[in-house]
């Protein structure tokens, strides 16, 4: 596992966007062999999406041969709801050159939710798997909607949301917990771990405990972020505020070994070491 510590959330956004853009460019992606990118919703990735849009507008990256799969989707809300299908178009897709047919988002209004989830896994397999999955984590350390207690080998499925997640996400639903869906479709922990790379964004003091559990504690299904310890190419980009519960030695270790990789602009150097 790698841990890239940035001073503030804006640094997390710039670093992660530069990293993703470089990975797309390095892949030699084409219509025949597209770069496959897993993406989250929520507030944490908004800065990264804004930076990716900026990089695209500067002509440094194209998404024309990128295929995307979103992590999760609420069940039972309209597609035009700001927290549903339109979230990705409003905040990212409408501002880049991605082809609509290359966008994959779970259908939370499908007649058969289990068939929808099975088909989603099949679509991922059909394009050769996901090259890089970007995600965030909840305060309880969940990735996607894989709540505490989720199997670390789980696949895409319907998942009941716990009360903590409902309370936290009520800010997206007029601060009314009664408006928050109680069920969601989500890729599984195993689905994410099958990706060739996993990049997790962590920002804010409220994520400090989850970061500590994911980095310093053992692999535990009660903290699904901890599964990243088992991934050969797991990467966490975090801000200083989220590191307050890490041991001093852990913090200094990662700051030392990544000291030459912290500047987002340096990622554009062709011979820059990326760590794998």
């Amino acid at each position: 596992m790698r841990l890239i510590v940035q001073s503030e959330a804006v640094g997390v956004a710039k670093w992660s966007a530069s990293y993703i853009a470089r990975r797309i460019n390095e892949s030699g992606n084409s219509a025949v062999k597209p770069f496959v990118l897993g993406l989250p919703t929520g507030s944490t990735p908004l800065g990264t999406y804004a930076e990716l849009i900026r990089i695209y507008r500067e002509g440094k990256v194209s998404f024309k041969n990128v295929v995307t799969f979103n992590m999760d989707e609420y069940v039972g809300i309209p597609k035009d709801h700001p927290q549903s299908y339109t979230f990705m178009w409003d905040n990212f897709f409408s501002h880049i050159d991605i082809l609509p047919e290359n966008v994959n988002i779970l259908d939370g209004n499908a007649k058969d939710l289990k068939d929808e989830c099975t088909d989603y896994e099949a679509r991922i397999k059909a394009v050769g798997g996901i090259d890089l999955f970007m995600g965030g984590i909840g305060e309880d350390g969940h990735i996607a909607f894989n709540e505490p207690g989720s199997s670390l080998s789980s696949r895409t499925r319907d998942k009941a949301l716990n009360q903590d997640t409902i309370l936290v996400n009520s800010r997206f639903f007029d601060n009314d917990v009664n408006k928050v869906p109680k069920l969601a479709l989500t890729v599984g922990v195993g689905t994410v771990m099958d990706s060739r790379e996993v990049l997790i964004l962590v920002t804010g003091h409220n994520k400090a405990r989850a970061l500590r559990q994911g980095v310093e504690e053992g692999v535990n299904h009660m903290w699904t972020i901890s599964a990243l310890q088992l991934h050969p190419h797991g990467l966490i980009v975090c801000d200083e505020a989220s590191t307050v519960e890490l041991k001093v030695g852990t913090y200094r270790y990662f700051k030392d070994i990544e000291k030459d990789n912290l500047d987002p602009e340096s990622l554009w150097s062709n011979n820059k070491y990326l760590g794998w």
Side-chain angles (χ1 to χ4, degrees), residues 20-113:
I20 291 168
R22 175 167 171 177
R23 280 305 196 212
I24 292 171
N25 290 340
E26 286 180 333
S27 70
N29 61 319
S30 64
V32 176
K33 183 62 178 72
F35 188 85
V36 186
L37 183 61
L39 297 172
T41 55
S43 57
T44 301
L46 289 177
T48 301
Y49 292 146
E51 282 296 313
L52 283 169
I53 292 166
R54 179 187 63 80
I55 293 170
Y56 160 72
R57 288 175 175 169
E58 291 178 353
K60 294 180 179 179
V61 69
S62 171
F63 296 87
K64 191 169 292 185
N65 293 317
V66 172
V67 173
T68 65
F69 286 87
N70 261 69
M71 274 189 156
D72 45 45
E73 175 65 296
Y74 289 110
V75 169
I77 61 175
K79 281 190 174 182
D80 60 358
H81 190 285
Q83 293 304 311
S84 184
Y85 184 86
T86 57
F87 177 95
M88 293 301 302
W89 289 97
D90 290 345
N91 292 292
F92 188 36
F93 295 147
S94 294
H95 308 281
I96 57 175
D97 61 344
I98 194 166
L99 302 178
E101 60 267 29
N102 286 345
V103 172
N104 294 274
I105 300 176
L106 284 156
D107 183 358
N109 292 293
K111 290 183 178 179
D112 190 316
L113 296 179

